[in-house]
Amino acid sequence: MNPVTIVSGTAYPWGAKNIDTDVIIPAHWLKTITRAGLGRGAFETVRAQPGNIFDDPRFAGAPILIAGDNFGCGSSREHAAWALADMGIRAVIAPSFSDIFSGNAFKNGIVPVVLPQDAVDRLLEVAQDQPVTVDLETMSVTTPFQDRFPFELDSFRRDCLMNGLDEIGLTLAQDAVIGGFEREMAQGRPWIEGRAALQVEPSA
């Protein structure tokens, strides 16, 4: 997972509420065995509508999505986060998220930013023609008009995002500790690894 400290640039000023994971990535895309290419299926039903925001050249390649309340509700499919990441989104700003989606986003290097509705409304206005910046150092969202909206994020998740640590990375970071434990177990309880057979005294 790539480290995330600042996400800055164009933002999709969508603002739609109660967007479920089937809207983010329809079920027929779940047959894939790879994450690559899922961005093509992201918001497929929305993109089928003429003049949709995701095919508007003004927002092409935007790394930020500004959404409405209850974003990512519905099923627990991690493909939703995979699809967003594959289309280049690194932060989603909304008044609230589904807990499962928020967790999946974090595990895939996407920053879920919770802001009050009035702050989201202001960002939707600014993002029509100006960039938005999400800064994990200062824990704030800013605009070129000196808007500054502070947000909160669990400190563990913040550290993981800033250091590029997913669950595999967290495990590898403890390699020395794990190795020491395994050596100690091998010496003290060799039968666990099957390297020594129990010696049984023959009966008299």
Side-chain angles (χ1 to χ4, degrees), residues 15-201:
K17 298 181 179 182
N18 300 313
I19 297 302
D20 65 29
T21 51
D22 196 52
V23 173
I24 298 173
I25 186 72
H28 66 86
W29 284 87
L30 307 189
K31 300 174 183 177
T32 180
I33 58 173
T34 177
R35 305 180 188 190
L38 279 176
R40 296 194 307 271
F43 304 110
E44 186 177 63
T45 56
V46 179
R47 283 175 155 158
Q49 303 168 16
N52 73 84
I53 197 169
F54 296 106
D55 290 328
D56 189 325
R58 293 179 299 161
F59 309 112
I64 300 170
L65 171 64
I66 305 172
D69 200 34
N70 197 29
F71 186 81
C73 57
S75 75
S76 62
R77 67 188 67 165
E78 191 173 3
H79 297 68
W82 295 353
L84 293 179
D86 193 60
M87 67 182 288
I89 291 176
R90 292 296 173 262
V92 181
I93 302 170
S96 68
F97 295 90
S98 155
D99 286 344
I100 294 176
F101 172 83
S102 181
N104 286 338
F106 150 69
K107 292 176 183 178
N108 287 277
I110 299 171
V111 185
V113 178
V114 176
L115 289 178
Q117 186 63 57
D118 59 345
V120 171
D121 290 341
R122 171 59 177 164
L123 292 172
L124 288 170
E125 176 186 352
V126 172
Q128 294 294 329
D129 55 15
Q130 296 294 327
V132 172
T133 298
V134 176
D135 190 335
L136 285 178
E137 286 279 6
T138 62
M139 294 295 286
S140 64
V141 179
T142 58
T143 76
F145 300 109
Q146 306 307 310
D147 298 295
R148 178 176 292 274
F149 304 112
F151 65 93
E152 296 181 357
L153 192 64
D154 176 84
S155 59
F156 171 74
R157 289 187 170 185
R158 176 175 179 260
D159 289 344
C160 287
L161 287 166
M162 294 182 68
N163 290 289
L165 294 174
D166 56 14
E167 291 171 333
I168 295 174
L170 284 168
T171 303
L172 291 175
Q174 299 298 317
D175 182 60
V177 176
I178 295 170
F181 174 79
E182 290 178 338
R183 287 190 294 274
E184 182 179 325
M185 289 294 289
Q187 292 173 3
R189 300 178 180 180
W191 58 86
I192 291 178
E193 293 185 344
R195 294 188 297 105
L198 290 174
Q199 299 297 317
V200 179
E201 291 291 333

